[in-house]
Amino acid sequence: MVRKKLIVKKIENPSSLQVTYCKRRDGIIKKASELAVLCDTDVGLVMFSPTGRLTSFASNGRIEDVFLRYIDRPNELRGGCVLKMFLILFTLGEELHDLNQLEAEMQQKMRSYNPDIEKITSIYDALVHQKFLTNAIQRIEEMKAKLLGKQIVPLEPDSIEVGKEKESQSSEVPVLDIKDSNFMAEKSVDSNGRRNPVMEDHHLQRTRSLGGPHLSFDYLKTQSNWNLQCGSTSQG
Amino acid sequence: MVRKKLIVKKIENPSSLQVTYCKRRDGIIKKASELAVLCDTDVGLVMFSPTGRLTSFASNGRIEDVFLRYIDRPNELRGGCVLKMFLILFTLGEELHDLNQLEAEMQQKMRSYNPDIEKITSIYDALVHQKFLTNAIQRIEEMKAKLLGKQIVPLEPDSIEVGKEKESQSSEVPVLDIKDSNFMAEKSVDSNGRRNPVMEDHHLQRTRSLGGPHLSFDYLKTQSNWNLQCGSTSQG
DNA sequence: GGAGCTATGTATAAGAT
DNA sequence: TATCTTATACATAGCTC
């Protein structure tokens, strides 16, 4: 049981490769989270396992925000309009995806309420059913408007009317303690964490909750001078 | 000189914060590159220093490619059309930026050749100068077409007719060669490395060479089934 | 494939330059 | 602010369960 000096070369034995990958992956994530806390910095980390499985870590918020912070560097000239367009498109794309999913779900529900047409024998019956259905459609439309409004309106922060503005951003979230277990499962605590570390092991994370911005918008909202014009892009 | 047990808490002393940041940043990068080699994996790492300075590391190619690999996960439903559009826009944006820069440079050159109009005393003189200038413009246009063609044609290699159909696609785009500062010096890792580690410390890296794809396209080109339709996005 | 162990290689806090 | 030094804390290779 003598530990040998490390030779940096691809490990050929598949099983020890896997074991080493897991151990070192955890080690790096721990280091990254320590760095983030010790030095009050943003750290983003993405690793693809030998089998292609993705593990990502972001010290603060989601890894996408780190990407965007990277892309949106003020000195990065390629930003400008194209970046804005990208952000709009990407955000819209997410919303549309969610809307499609939502609409499909609601239609599914409606279908379960679908009356047997043959049973409708009076104008009144027909009107009742029609009213029910139009109400449902109305609700879908409202949800659409709400979701889209929630996402797009923030460009003009003063004129927004969003359902709930949550203040959650400042909440104290404990720092990740890597040790115990296969990441995601337990985001256990470090006593004095100030931030909101996110670690995702994507084979575990298949479910997405509807309705929230999944990329970029959290970040965008922090960029106070963000606007649609091809103007100055600056940040601290 | 006794090393104390680490307490994971923000370092308040600015100087030791800086020192610790540098040391640990280097340590993480070393770990990341070791992981990449040992386990033959892609690793992407982005760190913002306490002063906002960006350091990124990508075990293979550029960090943007890691981002895109992340974004373009087959299970990530938000991809689809919007991702394609983003990629096109982003790539075009880069190209346009480069073109603008190129054009500005060439106009600068032309200006230095600009004849003193007063000295032109004959139609012949005028024609000579005009010819010279139109040639220069022609060259700019060709360069534009070349650059655009180089980048856009691959989408539909068989059916597109952009300015010039050229075979330059196989041209070697040199991999970014980072200066030999602090980290780079220790890039000795790859003595037997198989890949192409890239590490960027962005305050050092202000210059960009014209003409190469700076984001995404290398990645895109590796995605054989990439196309403009909102079709299947799949990858290993 | 994970969880735990232990001996040992590595990273790094402090201090000095 | 970077680099070197040294003692020590920490990470982890190899092993077992």
Side-chain angles (χ1 to χ4, degrees):
Chain A
M1 203 209 275
V2 180
R3 181 178 171 183
K4 279 180 287 190
K5 182 174 165 62
L6 178 70
I7 299 167
V8 184
K9 181 179 185 311
K10 186 188 173 185
I11 297 169
E12 296 299 343
N13 181 323
S15 61
S16 53
L17 178 71
Q18 181 61 30
V19 171
T20 297
Y21 176 78
C22 288
K23 285 183 176 180
R24 282 179 168 264
R25 176 197 57 189
D26 297 359
I28 291 178
I29 289 176
K30 188 180 174 200
K31 289 278 184 195
S33 62
E34 285 179 359
L35 180 69
V37 175
L38 287 170
C39 303
D40 191 30
T41 61
D42 276 353
V43 179
L45 179 61
V46 176
M47 293 172 286
F48 291 89
S49 83
T51 59
R53 180 175 292 172
L54 167 66
T55 300
S56 67
F57 168 81
S59 61
N60 182 22
R62 49 190 82 250
I63 190 83
E64 287 92 339
D65 294 338
V66 180
F67 293 173
L68 285 169
R69 188 172 170 193
Y70 176 92
I71 291 172
D72 203 21
R73 276 164 293 156
N75 294 320
E76 202 53 38
L77 296 169
R78 66 166 157 263
C81 278
V82 174
L83 177 62
K84 312 300 186 203
M85 289 173 73
F86 151 55
L87 294 174
I88 294 165
L89 288 170
F90 210 27
T91 307
L92 281 176
E94 288 208 290
E95 289 312 307
L96 288 175
H97 168 64
D98 289 349
L99 286 174
N100 286 338
Q101 199 171 317
L102 184 66
E103 198 151 346
E105 284 168 6
M106 293 195 72
Q107 280 179 359
Q108 185 67 36
K109 279 186 187 149
M110 281 172 62
R111 218 169 290 133
S112 69
Y113 286 114
N114 205 23
D116 185 344
I117 304 288
E118 308 298 315
K119 298 268 173 62
I120 297 176
T121 55
S122 71
I123 296 290
Y124 179 77
D125 274 359
L127 286 174
V128 166
H129 285 299
Q130 189 178 349
K131 180 68 177 166
F132 175 82
L133 291 173
T134 52
N135 278 347
I137 289 167
Q138 175 78 21
R139 263 177 282 127
I140 292 177
E141 291 299 329
E142 282 167 7
M143 183 73 77
K144 266 185 169 176
K146 193 172 168 184
L147 284 169
L148 277 169
K150 181 179 176 184
Q151 296 279 321
I152 295 168
V153 170
L155 298 179
E156 295 280 349
D158 289 336
S159 59
I160 299 186
E161 38 173 340
V162 179
K164 315 194 156 205
E165 201 72 56
K166 46 180 209 275
E167 77 307 307
S168 63
Q169 202 53 22
S170 60
S171 64
E172 284 272 341
V173 180
V175 160
L176 197 54
D177 193 322
I178 310 297
K179 286 292 165 42
D180 39 10
S181 98
N182 53 16
F183 311 132
M184 275 332 350
E186 9 229 310
K187 287 213 256 181
S188 118
V189 176
D190 178 292
S191 50
N192 42 25
R194 51 161 198 71
R195 285 190 171 211
N196 174 23
V198 172
M199 196 162 359
E200 306 179 39
D201 206 351
H202 288 265
H203 67 292
L204 296 176
Q205 201 211 20
R206 191 104 313 161
T207 55
R208 296 207 307 141
S209 65
L210 261 165
H214 308 297
L215 177 88
S216 82
F217 230 87
D218 285 342
Y219 174 80
L220 289 181
K221 282 187 288 193
T222 69
Q223 301 298 97
S224 57
N225 65 341
W226 194 79
N227 63 56
L228 282 172
Q229 276 120 44
C230 306
S232 53
T233 301
S234 69
Q235 73 182 12
Chain B
M1 201 209 276
V2 180
R3 180 178 173 183
K4 278 181 286 190
K5 181 174 164 62
L6 177 71
I7 299 167
V8 183
K9 180 177 185 313
K10 186 187 172 185
I11 297 169
E12 296 298 343
N13 182 322
S15 62
S16 52
L17 178 72
Q18 179 63 29
V19 171
T20 298
Y21 176 78
C22 289
K23 285 182 177 178
R24 283 181 167 262
R25 175 198 57 190
D26 296 359
I28 290 178
I29 289 176
K30 188 179 174 203
K31 289 278 183 195
S33 62
E34 285 179 359
L35 180 69
V37 175
L38 287 170
C39 303
D40 191 28
T41 62
D42 275 354
V43 180
L45 177 62
V46 176
M47 292 172 287
F48 291 89
S49 85
T51 59
R53 181 175 290 172
L54 167 66
T55 301
S56 67
F57 167 81
S59 60
N60 181 23
R62 49 192 91 244
I63 190 83
E64 287 91 340
D65 294 339
V66 180
F67 294 172
L68 286 169
R69 188 174 168 190
Y70 176 94
I71 291 172
D72 204 21
R73 276 164 295 158
N75 295 320
E76 203 53 39
L77 295 169
R78 66 165 157 264
C81 276
V82 174
L83 177 61
K84 313 300 186 203
M85 289 173 73
F86 151 54
L87 295 175
I88 293 165
L89 287 171
F90 210 25
T91 308
L92 282 176
E94 289 207 291
E95 288 312 307
L96 288 175
H97 167 65
D98 289 348
L99 286 174
N100 285 338
Q101 197 171 316
L102 184 66
E103 198 151 346
E105 284 169 5
M106 293 196 69
Q107 281 178 358
Q108 185 66 37
K109 278 186 188 149
M110 280 171 62
R111 217 168 291 132
S112 68
Y113 286 112
N114 204 22
D116 184 344
I117 303 290
E118 308 297 317
K119 299 267 173 61
I120 297 176
T121 55
S122 70
I123 295 291
Y124 179 79
D125 274 358
L127 287 174
V128 166
H129 286 299
Q130 188 177 350
K131 180 69 180 167
F132 175 83
L133 292 173
T134 52
N135 277 347
I137 289 167
Q138 175 80 21
R139 264 178 282 127
I140 293 176
E141 292 298 329
E142 282 167 8
M143 184 73 79
K144 265 185 169 177
K146 195 171 165 186
L147 283 168
L148 278 169
K150 180 178 175 183
Q151 298 277 321
I152 294 168
V153 168
L155 299 178
E156 291 279 336
D158 291 334
S159 62
I160 290 189
E161 38 172 345
V162 178
K164 309 196 157 202
E165 200 77 56
K166 0 172 300 324
E167 76 308 312
S168 68
Q169 199 48 31
S170 59
S171 67
E172 288 273 340
V173 179
V175 163
L176 195 53
D177 199 316
I178 313 291
K179 2 253 150 199
D180 47 340
S181 62
N182 28 25
F183 315 148
M184 295 328 336
E186 318 197 30
K187 206 170 71 167
S188 56
V189 172
D190 60 358
S191 57
N192 42 24
R194 43 152 201 79
R195 288 194 169 206
N196 172 18
V198 171
M199 196 163 357
E200 306 180 38
D201 205 353
H202 289 265
H203 69 290
L204 296 175
Q205 200 211 22
R206 193 105 312 164
T207 54
R208 299 206 306 141
S209 65
L210 263 165
H214 308 297
L215 177 88
S216 82
F217 228 87
D218 285 342
Y219 174 80
L220 290 181
K221 282 187 289 193
T222 69
Q223 302 297 97
S224 56
N225 63 342
W226 195 79
N227 63 57
L228 281 173
Q229 276 120 41
C230 304
S232 53
T233 301
S234 67
Q235 74 181 14

